Amino acid sequence: MIKPLGKRVVIKVAETEETTASGFVLPSSAKSKEQFGEIIAVGSEVELVKVGDTVFFQNYSGTEVEHEGESVLIIEEKDLLAVVG
């Protein structure tokens, strides 16, 4: 498991399948990444969110890393926009 430092969180970015009007499924490489996901780890200085929260975050923020065969995003708490109710 990744343990982020300071005011950083680790997010598993949501993946949604997109289909065109004619029924073609677009691969993930042909569309932009979603800007929301589930927090799977938090740093020791994070105060506003907790593990399990679904959050929206700023586009093009954070660093994408591969860990145990899964792609996750490490992002600073200040780049989070909202927690989904």
Side-chain angles (χ1 to χ4, degrees), residues 46-64:
V46 173
E47 300 173 359
L48 302 175
V49 294
K50 62 186 180 310
V51 173
D53 283 350
T54 298
V55 295
F56 285 93
F57 52 88
Q58 291 186 14
N59 200 14
Y60 304 112
S61 58
T63 301
E64 191 172 335

Side-chain angles (χ1 to χ4, degrees), residues 30-51:
K31 60 181 181 168
S32 62
K33 289 208 175 269
E34 295 297 334
Q35 293 176 301
F36 69 95
E38 179 184 355
I39 294 183
I40 59 173
V42 296
S44 61
E45 297 175 26
V46 173
E47 300 173 359
L48 302 175
V49 294
K50 62 186 180 310
V51 173

Side-chain angles (χ1 to χ4, degrees), residues 4-10 41-46 74-77:
L5 301 176
K7 291 190 173 221
R8 291 181 180 84
V9 298
V10 179
V42 296
S44 61
E45 297 175 26
V46 173
I74 300 174
I75 188 170
E76 290 190 42
E77 185 180 29

Side-chain angles (χ1 to χ4, degrees), residues 15-28:
E15 292 185 22
T16 57
E17 190 174 84
E18 189 172 329
T19 306
T20 65
S22 58
F24 290 103
V25 176
L26 296 176
S28 60

